[in-house]
Amino acid sequence: MQTVLNYLMLLVTGLVMQGQNNVEVSITKFDNNEGVVMVGLYSEEGQFLNKTFMSLTSEISEKEAVVTFTDVPAGSYAISCFHDEDSNGQLNMRMGMFPSEPYGCSNGAKGFFGPPKWEDAVFEVKEGETMSVDIRL
């Protein structure tokens, strides 16, 4: 009986601990404090820059911002953010192809004649950890 109770206790503890990971994102090098920063966490290569797994918005103070994604399951992720200077909720583009607002990705991923690629921005979140990601615009 004691073995069964120990097993159930371990099972419940494992379920409670699942998804208790955090990803703290520090964004620096804003040109100004106007508008907000929009931050997207992506969990699948096929969804990168199209559909976020989680998203957050933050005010900018002293040309810096910090957001924290909580309860992130262990796995592979990438982050993209942009300075929404006019607070319209979208990344403004020139000629429909070139961003006119500053942006950045995890691992400093940059696009070359196109958007950044998943494999350049991806990082791993391990069980029970707080991951810190620094992005410079």
Side-chain angles (χ1 to χ4, degrees), residues 23-27 79 105-107 123 131-135:
V23 177
E24 182 179 276
V25 185
S26 299
I27 305 135
I79 295 173
C105 289
S106 47
N107 298 333
F123 61 90
M131 179 80 184
S132 294
V133 177
D134 296 321
I135 297 177

Side-chain angles (χ1 to χ4, degrees), residues 3 29 43 45 49 52 61 64 67-68 70 73 80 82 88 90 96 98-99 103 106 112 117-118 130-132:
T3 304
K29 302 294 182 184
S43 61
E45 181 175 5
L49 302 178
T52 60
S61 177
E64 296 180 350
V67 300
T68 302
T70 58
S80 175
F82 69 94
N88 68 352
Q90 58 188 349
F98 306 104
Y103 68 93
S106 47
F112 185 72
K117 300 200 180 330
W118 167 267
T130 295
M131 179 80 184
S132 294

Side-chain angles (χ1 to χ4, degrees), residues 10-75:
L10 285 173
L11 179 64
V12 169
T13 302
L15 290 174
V16 169
M17 293 301 290
Q18 184 177 0
Q20 296 284 328
N21 312 310
N22 297 322
V23 177
E24 182 179 276
V25 185
S26 299
I27 305 135
T28 58
K29 302 294 182 184
F30 288 92
D31 292 333
N32 56 61
N33 294 325
E34 296 173 17
V36 296
V37 62
M38 309 278 289
V39 186
L41 179 69
Y42 301 87
S43 61
E44 297 179 36
E45 181 175 5
Q47 300 294 327
F48 184 53
L49 302 178
N50 293 315
K51 184 177 180 196
T52 60
F53 172 67
M54 294 179 174
S55 61
L56 294 171
T57 302
S58 176
E59 298 291 319
I60 302 160
S61 177
E62 298 182 24
K63 299 181 181 180
E64 296 180 350
V66 176
V67 300
T68 302
F69 293 99
T70 58
D71 297 327
V72 177

